[in-house]
Amino acid sequence: MLEDKMFENNMQEKEIHLRDYLRVVAKHRGLIISFVIVITAVVALITFSTTPQYLASSKVLMEKANNNTLTDGYSGNFRDPEFFETQFQLIKSRQVARRVVDILGLDNSALAANNDSDSSSPVQMVKQWLTEAKNSLLGSDPVDDEASAGSRSAADILADEIRDNIRVSPVRDSRIVSISYPSANPEFAALIVNTVVKAYTETSLEMKMAATRQTLEWMTKKTESERLKLEKSEKELQTYMRTNNLVTLENRIAVLPQKLSQISSELVIAQNKRQKLEGLFRKVKSVAGSPDAAESVLGISNGATLQILRDQILKAEQHIRELSAKYGAKHPTMIKAKGDLEILQNKKQQEISRLTGSVKDEFELAVAEENNLRQQLEQTKAEAHNLNEKFIQYEAFQREMDTNRQLYDTLMMRMKEQNITGEIQPVNLWVVEQAEVPVIPFKPNKKKSLVLAFIVSLFGGIGLAFFVEYLDQSIKYPEETEQALGFPVLGMVPLLKNKEGNIDTVMKDLPRSAAAENYRSLRTSVMLSASNQPPRRILVTSPEAGAGKSTTAINLAVAMAQSGKKVLLIDADMRKPRLHKIFKIKPEKGLSSYLAGINRNDVMLQSPIENLFFMPAGPVPPNPSELLVSDSLNQLLTQVDGKVDFIVCDSPPLQSVVDARILSQVFDGTILVVKGKQTTFEQARKSLRQLNDVNAQVLGVLINGIELKKNDYYYANYYGTYGDEPTS
């Protein structure tokens, strides 16, 4: 239930909010209608007086050519935005426009005849007026402008005119480009567009040819320079090779590592052999002179000849032992056998001596061989080091020569390619649709212009209405007043025109009128302003003069009196009293005379209205404020309290004098009367601050004298038919 109620409240707030907007529109409908009529009329005048313009268009297929290949005619990346923007700027360039002028042979008369028909249009007149105003503000001299224009050729002026009017736009999601030109002459527009396409193609080719020629000139000079460098590097390499005998350098460089490896291997073998022989030589040398000891050396004992001799000696000794068993020592056989043994032993000694000498020879040979190999290794290393140094310089010359040769060959190849591709068109361009003479003008679009003018002016008028409403800070309606001031609105009294009656006596003369009902509503609001009992002393004031405080005071007093209550109406505006004129009483005595102590008798008079008593302001004193701060005022009110039910007091405006603030101290409640659509929120806030500074009890605000129209939101509430209403 609570959510439903909140939803209803939100819906009501939205409806009221929308109604406020509609109210603003309805309130300023005259301004909106006037704005729409003026703007639409101006646009209609301009539209119907403007010379029709025809737009001729040509569509071309534009692709980016690829100069890096001879087989592919265009590049696949046709969506290059920089390429298309560059081509668009080229189409709209002065060079293309000047070529159009030259191709067509145009002169001043041709373009003047094309544009003079539009020179008297309102748009041109406005442009001319703006140009003159700009020259006047910037201090530009028209004579100087004409002189500068005269210094230029007619062809340049025509080219600028064509360039400024050329339109280039891509067709969405395609490679097609639309080239257009507007003109009052349809034939002229079509001729310009077709000529622009032709001029653009020729200009592109010329630019490509010029760039190709410049490239070839530069490449020719660069190729010649590189050729001289190549010849110089070749000569330097040949001279270096002859000087250092490097004809077979590469072969020698390749062989030297193998030779170093082989010599190193042989040297290691020779070292091992020398070390083995050196040990054997030392053993043999240690047993020199002792054949038997030398025979036990391993390198000698394993000799084949020596082993044979040892076997023969063993056999001879065995034979002697066999013979000794048969023969005596002097037997010829024994003698012969011993002789043979002695011969074998001598051979053995000789063999040992020979083997000992061969060990020494082999050792000396191994040492010599090792020294020879080490010497060869050092020589080979020195040769390799020398060749490496020469080869480093050789490679430097070789690299320089190869670099120069490569650069020279590249330049030669590029020159040949440039000669072949130099004539290729930089942009592939095909005319998809040539410009034809337009039949229907593209502007002004009268129907569209009028509809657009009406819509724009309508929204502009509505915006202007809300802007005027925003600038209007005057008090008008209760809701916004309560929100802005923070005080309740007790009532709202519409403006009563003179023919309808006197607003001061509306409660008596027109008791059934809407204004009278509003004052009764004010009476009710005052009665209900306090929870315990209604305020008995009521002060009526306003921020400024003319707000209707006196009218409110007298009508409120009459409304209370008509309800059967005894009411005293006091005119406390002793500076400009007015209430006595309404009752047609001479102000010979009254509040001023009472407070001054001059005449305190019969100051409270009976009015023509039942239950209503009236106390006039009396003679105008020189010092009203001083009279009000005296104790006499409080004494007067105390005396009156016992005679009447309510006291209604009219006081001077708050922002003029301090009288109202003084009076608010002795009254139970104060009503602030503001003039509708005249009193501003700032004036009302200032008045309320003044009352708040003196701790006055403010009952609320009354919006007085507001003019409500039939379309106003509050019109039905205040001008409706009430039927038979009571007069009291």
Side-chain angles (χ1 to χ4, degrees):
M1 294 298 293
L2 180 59
E3 293 180 355
D4 294 341
K5 187 175 181 180
M6 292 177 62
F7 178 76
E8 290 179 1
N9 292 335
N10 290 334
M11 291 300 295
Q12 291 177 0
E13 291 178 0
K14 290 183 180 179
E15 290 177 0
I16 294 174
H17 186 65
L18 178 60
R19 191 177 302 169
D20 289 339
Y21 284 121
L22 296 177
R23 175 182 55 79
V24 174
V25 173
K27 175 183 175 182
H28 298 282
R29 66 181 182 276
L31 175 63
I32 297 174
I33 293 174
S34 300
F35 187 82
V36 170
I37 292 175
V38 171
I39 297 300
T40 306
V42 171
V43 173
L45 177 62
I46 295 175
T47 300
F48 285 97
S49 61
T50 301
T51 301
Q53 293 286 317
Y54 296 87
L55 185 68
S57 300
S58 175
K59 293 182 179 180
V60 296
L61 176 62
M62 186 180 297
E63 291 179 341
K64 183 177 180 181
N66 186 2
N67 293 335
N68 295 328
T69 176
L70 299 178
T71 59
D72 193 4
Y74 61 90
S75 173
N77 186 17
F78 56 86
R79 297 187 182 275
D80 185 359
E82 293 183 357
F83 164 73
F84 279 102
E85 185 61 28
T86 302
Q87 302 308 312
F88 296 164
Q89 295 299 324
L90 180 59
I91 294 173
K92 299 177 65 175
S93 65
R94 178 176 296 178
Q95 185 176 2
V96 172
R98 180 59 186 269
R99 184 180 291 273
V100 171
V101 174
D102 295 339
I103 292 175
L104 298 178
L106 299 178
D107 55 10
N108 283 331
S109 59
L111 201 58
N114 178 55
N115 294 328
D116 280 349
S117 58
D118 196 35
S119 60
S120 60
S121 66
V123 176
Q124 292 297 326
M125 294 174 64
V126 171
K127 288 183 178 179
Q128 183 177 2
W129 180 82
L130 291 176
T131 303
E132 293 176 356
K134 182 190 71 173
N135 294 334
S136 177
L137 291 174
L138 300 179
S140 177
D141 190 357
V143 177
D144 295 339
D145 294 340
E146 293 177 0
S148 61
S151 62
R152 301 172 60 199
S153 64
D156 290 336
I157 297 175
L158 293 172
D160 290 341
E161 190 74 19
I162 294 174
R163 182 189 63 177
D164 294 339
N165 290 296
I166 281 292
R167 303 179 182 181
V168 183
S169 60
V171 178
R172 189 174 181 179
D173 298 331
S174 69
R175 286 172 282 176
I176 296 177
V177 178
S178 176
I179 303 175
S180 308
Y181 186 83
S183 175
N185 188 336
E187 291 82 3
F188 182 81
L191 181 62
I192 290 294
V193 171
N194 292 327
T195 309
V196 164
V197 175
K198 180 180 179 182
Y200 161 67
T201 305
E202 294 178 356
T203 302
S204 299
L205 286 174
E206 284 190 359
M207 292 174 62
K208 176 63 177 178
M209 293 296 295
T212 302
R213 286 194 297 270
Q214 293 179 357
T215 303
L216 286 175
E217 290 177 0
W218 178 85
M219 293 180 68
T220 301
K221 294 179 181 179
K222 187 66 176 176
T223 302
E224 181 64 21
S225 174
E226 294 301 325
R227 185 185 64 80
L228 295 176
K229 288 183 180 180
L230 176 60
E231 292 179 355
K232 180 181 178 182
S233 61
E234 288 177 344
K235 291 179 180 179
E236 289 177 351
L237 179 61
Q238 292 297 327
T239 301
Y240 181 78
M241 292 179 66
R242 287 195 301 270
T243 302
N244 294 276
N245 192 20
L246 298 180
V247 178
T248 60
L249 178 62
E250 293 183 356
N251 294 332
R252 295 171 63 185
I253 289 294
V255 171
L256 277 177
Q258 298 179 0
K259 183 177 179 181
L260 285 173
S261 177
Q262 182 178 358
I263 293 176
S264 298
S265 300
E266 292 178 356
L267 178 60
V268 171
I269 295 173
Q271 287 177 344
N272 293 333
K273 181 178 179 181
R274 189 262 306 165
Q275 290 174 356
K276 292 179 181 180
L277 291 175
E278 184 177 6
L280 181 61
F281 175 72
R282 288 178 181 178
K283 290 181 180 180
V284 172
K285 187 177 180 181
S286 63
V287 295
S290 177
D292 294 336
E295 186 180 0
S296 62
V297 176
L298 182 61
I300 296 176
S301 61
N302 56 3
T305 303
L306 185 60
Q307 290 180 359
I308 294 172
L309 291 174
R310 280 199 295 268
D311 292 338
Q312 290 179 355
I313 290 173
L314 289 175
K315 290 179 180 180
E317 289 177 350
Q318 184 178 5
H319 183 64
I320 289 174
R321 283 194 296 273
E322 292 175 356
L323 291 178
S324 63
K326 295 179 180 183
Y327 304 106
K330 296 181 179 181
H331 189 277
T333 303
M334 286 292 291
I335 293 172
K336 182 178 181 304
K338 290 181 178 180
D340 292 337
L341 177 60
E342 185 176 356
I343 291 171
L344 290 174
Q345 288 179 345
N346 290 332
K347 287 183 178 182
K348 176 182 175 183
Q349 294 295 330
Q350 292 177 358
E351 182 64 19
I352 291 173
S353 298
R354 187 187 66 79
L355 290 174
T356 302
S358 65
V359 169
K360 179 181 179 181
D361 293 339
E362 288 181 3
F363 172 71
E364 291 177 351
L365 181 61
V367 171
E369 184 179 1
E370 179 184 0
N371 293 332
N372 184 28
L373 289 173
R374 183 175 284 106
Q375 184 178 3
Q376 290 182 14
L377 181 62
E378 294 298 329
Q379 291 178 354
T380 304
K381 287 182 178 180
E383 183 180 1
H385 182 71
N386 187 24
L387 286 177
N388 285 334
E389 291 181 352
K390 293 181 180 180
F391 191 69
I392 290 173
Q393 187 65 28
Y394 168 79
E395 285 185 334
F397 283 111
Q398 184 70 35
R399 283 195 302 271
E400 182 179 2
M401 184 189 70
D402 293 341
T403 302
N404 293 334
R405 185 184 301 280
Q406 184 179 5
L407 182 58
Y408 175 75
D409 294 341
T410 302
L411 287 173
M412 289 296 295
M413 182 178 64
R414 291 294 298 165
M415 283 184 63
K416 293 179 180 180
E417 290 182 359
Q418 195 69 25
N419 286 326
I420 297 174
T421 62
E423 302 299 327
I424 297 178
Q425 186 175 353
V427 180
N428 294 330
L429 191 70
W430 295 275
V431 179
V432 178
E433 181 179 316
Q434 283 192 341
E436 297 181 354
V437 178
V439 179
I440 302 175
F442 82 102
K443 73 174 184 178
N445 189 333
K446 298 178 181 179
K447 182 178 179 181
K448 180 180 179 181
S449 299
L450 293 178
V451 172
L452 185 61
F454 175 77
I455 295 175
V456 172
S457 61
L458 178 61
F459 283 100
I462 294 174
L464 181 61
F466 278 97
F467 180 70
V468 172
E469 185 72 13
Y470 171 76
L471 295 179
D472 185 7
Q473 292 296 313
S474 62
I475 296 176
K476 294 178 287 294
Y477 302 110
E479 286 84 353
E480 62 182 14
T481 303
E482 291 179 351
Q483 184 178 4
L485 301 181
F487 285 89
V489 175
L490 301 176
M492 185 173 173
V493 180
L495 180 65
L496 189 66
K497 298 181 181 179
N498 293 331
K499 64 180 181 178
E500 296 176 351
N502 188 0
I503 188 63
D504 294 331
T505 60
V506 69
M507 290 299 299
K508 182 183 70 171
D509 300 338
L510 301 171
R512 294 182 179 276
S513 64
E517 183 63 27
N518 297 147
Y519 285 117
R520 293 190 188 97
S521 176
L522 173 62
R523 177 191 65 189
T524 304
S525 299
V526 172
M527 292 297 183
L528 299 176
S529 61
S531 59
N532 297 328
Q533 60 180 4
R536 297 189 61 196
R537 300 177 183 180
I538 303 169
L539 179 68
V540 180
T541 185
S542 64
E544 78 283 355
K549 58 180 181 56
S550 299
T551 302
T552 302
I554 189 172
N555 284 291
L556 176 60
V558 172
M560 288 182 170
Q562 289 177 350
S563 65
K565 303 295 182 180
K566 291 183 179 181
V567 182
L568 172 61
L569 175 61
I570 301 176
D571 189 356
D573 189 354
M574 294 181 289
R575 299 176 186 271
K576 292 182 179 181
R578 177 173 171 270
L579 294 181
H580 67 279
K581 297 179 181 180
I582 299 174
F583 290 103
K584 299 179 182 180
I585 298 174
K586 294 182 179 180
E588 296 176 352
K589 57 182 179 179
L591 181 62
S592 61
S593 60
Y594 181 91
L595 296 178
I598 299 174
N599 188 353
R600 295 189 175 184
N601 298 322
D602 300 329
V603 293
M604 190 172 72
L605 306 177
Q606 176 65 47
S607 70
I609 301 173
E610 184 181 0
N611 296 328
L612 179 62
F613 299 91
F614 174 60
M615 182 181 293
V620 177
N623 52 351
S625 301
E626 295 179 1
L627 294 177
L628 293 175
V629 296
S630 64
D631 294 335
S632 300
L633 177 61
N634 198 16
Q635 294 174 3
L636 173 63
L637 295 177
T638 303
Q639 294 175 4
V640 174
D641 282 340
K643 299 178 182 180
V644 297
D645 297 318
F646 294 97
I647 300 174
V648 179
C649 180
D650 180 24
S651 66
L654 280 164
Q655 297 182 8
S656 300
V657 291
V658 298
D659 298 4
R661 282 177 279 175
I662 296 173
L663 289 168
S664 65
Q665 300 297 299
V666 295
F667 279 82
D668 300 334
T670 302
I671 299 174
L672 183 66
V673 180
V674 296
K675 184 67 175 293
K677 300 184 181 180
Q678 176 176 314
T679 305
T680 63
F681 286 108
E682 184 60 31
Q683 290 175 327
R685 291 191 190 96
K686 183 177 180 181
S687 300
L688 291 171
R689 283 195 299 268
Q690 291 175 344
L691 294 173
N692 183 63
D693 292 341
V694 296
N695 296 321
Q697 182 66 33
V698 180
L699 300 179
V701 180
L702 174 70
I703 303 176
N704 183 51
I706 185 168
E707 183 179 3
L708 299 177
K709 299 179 181 180
K710 290 185 178 182
N711 56 3
D712 202 293
Y713 170 71
Y714 294 92
Y715 182 83
N717 294 336
Y718 295 99
Y719 284 97
T721 302
Y722 292 91
D724 296 334
E725 298 176 357
T727 60
S728 62

